[in-house]
Amino acid sequence: MTAPTTSRPVDPERDTLAKAAHENFPVAPFFLPRAWRDDLMAVYGFARLVDDIGDGDLAPGGADARLLGVPAADAEDRLALLDAFEADLRRVFDGTPRHPLLRRLQPTVRRRALTPEPFLGLIAANRQDQLVTRYATYDDLLAYCELSANPVGRLVLAVTGTSTPERVRRSDAICTALQIVEHLQDVAEDLGRDRVYLPAADMERFHVQEADLAAPTAGASVRALIAYEAQRARDLLSEGAPLVGSVHGRLRLLLAGFVAGGRAAVHAIAAADYDVLPGPPRPGKLRVLREAGATLREEG
C-alpha cells in the first residue's frame, strides 16, 4: 500500500521565479556577477508576476490576491489585482510591500537607484491588455511595446550601471523586436485569449481575416503577413545591435544573447515557412549560439 501523496503548498515567490528556466531568453545567466544576477532575478520576479496577473496565469487558490490585500470576491478580477499590485509597488519606494516578490525587489531598487517609471510601464501594459485587444496600426503596436517590452531593457541597463540615452535607444529597438517576435510565435495562443497583435492595417493590406488566424495552418496570405512583420523585427534587431559593441565584458555577452535570441527566433519562423499557426516555432540552442557568435563578431 503506497503512502498518500501530499501536494506542495503554493509558494508565490518560488513558483514565479521558477518560470525563469522556461523563458525564451536567459534572464540572469551564470556568467554574470552574482550581484547582477540577484538584482536581475528580482526584476524578473516583478515582470513575471505582473504578466501572470495580466494573463490570468496566477497559481490557483488566490494566494497572490491575499498577499496583495485583494478580497476573495475579486481574486479573479485582473484590473483589481493590477491596481493592488501597483499600490504594493509604490510601497517598494516609500514603505514595506506586502508581496514577497516586491519585498525581494526593494533592496535592488535602493541599491541600483531604480525609479518607478519602468515598473509602472509594465503594469500599464498589462492593464492595457485587459482593455485593448486589437491594434489598428504598427505605430499603435510600437506604443504598446514602449510599455510592455522596452522597460525591461532599460532596467537591465540601470541595474548594470550602463544607461545612456543612446544605449536606451538601441535597447528599446531590441526589446520591441523581441516583443514582436514573441507575438509572431504566439499568434494562435493570443487569438485564444481574444488578442490580436498583428496590426489591422497590415492584415487588410495582405487580405488576412481573423478567421484565417484560427485555421490549423497558415495560408499564403497569412504567411506573407508574418514574413512582413518578421522583417520588421529583423530591422529593429539590426538597429539595436550596436548596443552590444558599446559595452564590455560579461554584459556584452548578455546583450549579444538577447540579440541572438531574437535573430534565432526569426530564423525559426522563416524555417517554418512563416506558418506559426500550428505552434510557436522555436530555435534550437545551437542556432542561438551561432547567432551570438555572429553578433559578437559584427559588433566587436
Side-chain angles (χ1 to χ4, degrees):
M1 184 174 180
T2 58
T5 58
T6 57
S7 59
R8 178 175 63 80
V10 173
D11 182 337
E13 181 179 16
R14 180 177 61 190
D15 293 348
T16 300
L17 293 175
K19 295 179 181 180
H22 306 291
E23 292 293 328
N24 265 348
F25 311 108
V27 175
F30 70 92
F31 56 76
L32 292 181
R34 177 61 183 269
W36 283 5
R37 292 205 313 271
D38 289 348
D39 287 342
L40 289 173
M41 282 302 294
V43 168
Y44 169 81
F46 172 90
R48 182 70 267 168
L49 181 56
V50 72
D51 279 353
D52 285 351
I53 293 172
D55 290 338
D57 287 339
L58 292 175
D64 291 288
R66 288 192 295 274
L67 285 165
L68 293 170
V70 175
D74 295 329
E76 302 297 323
D77 185 333
R78 299 180 195 178
L79 287 172
L81 286 165
L82 288 167
D83 288 347
F85 191 59
E86 180 175 331
D88 211 29
L89 168 69
R90 295 188 185 279
R91 295 184 193 102
V92 170
F93 294 88
D94 61 12
T96 303
R98 295 173 171 175
H99 199 287
L101 283 169
L102 292 180
R103 289 199 297 271
R104 180 190 180 105
L105 179 64
Q106 193 169 47
T108 293
V109 163
R110 291 173 175 171
R111 186 161 47 242
R112 306 296 180 183
L114 303 181
T115 63
E117 284 74 23
F119 300 104
L120 291 170
L122 294 172
I123 294 173
N126 279 275
R127 192 175 280 121
Q128 184 167 314
D129 275 334
Q130 313 313 310
L131 305 171
V132 180
T133 59
R134 305 294 188 275
Y135 290 85
T137 68
Y138 181 60
D139 284 344
D140 292 337
L141 185 64
L142 291 181
Y144 169 73
C145 292
E146 179 72 20
L147 298 173
S148 68
N150 298 0
V152 176
R154 295 181 181 203
L155 284 165
V156 170
L157 294 177
V159 164
T160 57
T162 54
S163 184
T164 67
E166 178 63 11
R167 285 175 178 151
V168 166
R169 186 179 74 81
R170 301 285 189 184
S171 171
D172 285 354
I174 294 169
C175 290
T176 292
L178 296 180
Q179 181 76 88
I180 290 172
V181 169
E182 185 175 328
H183 289 331
L184 297 181
Q185 291 174 315
D186 294 340
V187 167
E189 179 182 334
D190 289 335
L191 187 63
R193 298 178 187 270
D194 191 30
R195 297 176 186 169
V196 177
Y197 293 102
L198 297 168
D202 296 343
M203 291 176 64
E204 182 177 355
R205 174 181 174 182
F206 286 91
H207 308 289
V208 171
Q209 305 291 323
E210 282 194 25
D212 300 325
L213 304 180
T217 60
S221 295
V222 172
R223 292 173 195 246
L225 171 60
I226 299 299
Y228 179 74
E229 306 298 350
Q231 185 58 52
R232 281 176 154 166
R234 282 193 195 93
D235 292 343
L236 283 167
L237 288 167
S238 295
E239 180 184 340
L243 175 65
V244 175
S246 76
V247 299
H248 303 285
R250 286 175 279 187
L251 179 58
R252 190 163 168 264
L253 294 177
L254 177 67
L255 299 182
F258 291 155
V259 174
R263 286 174 168 169
V266 172
H267 180 271
I269 292 169
D273 198 18
Y274 300 102
D275 185 2
V276 298
L277 299 187
R282 304 287 187 196
K285 290 183 178 179
L286 183 58
R287 183 73 200 191
V288 176
L289 288 172
R290 286 176 178 168
E291 293 288 358
T295 300
L296 287 167
R297 287 191 297 273
E298 290 168 12
E299 305 303 331

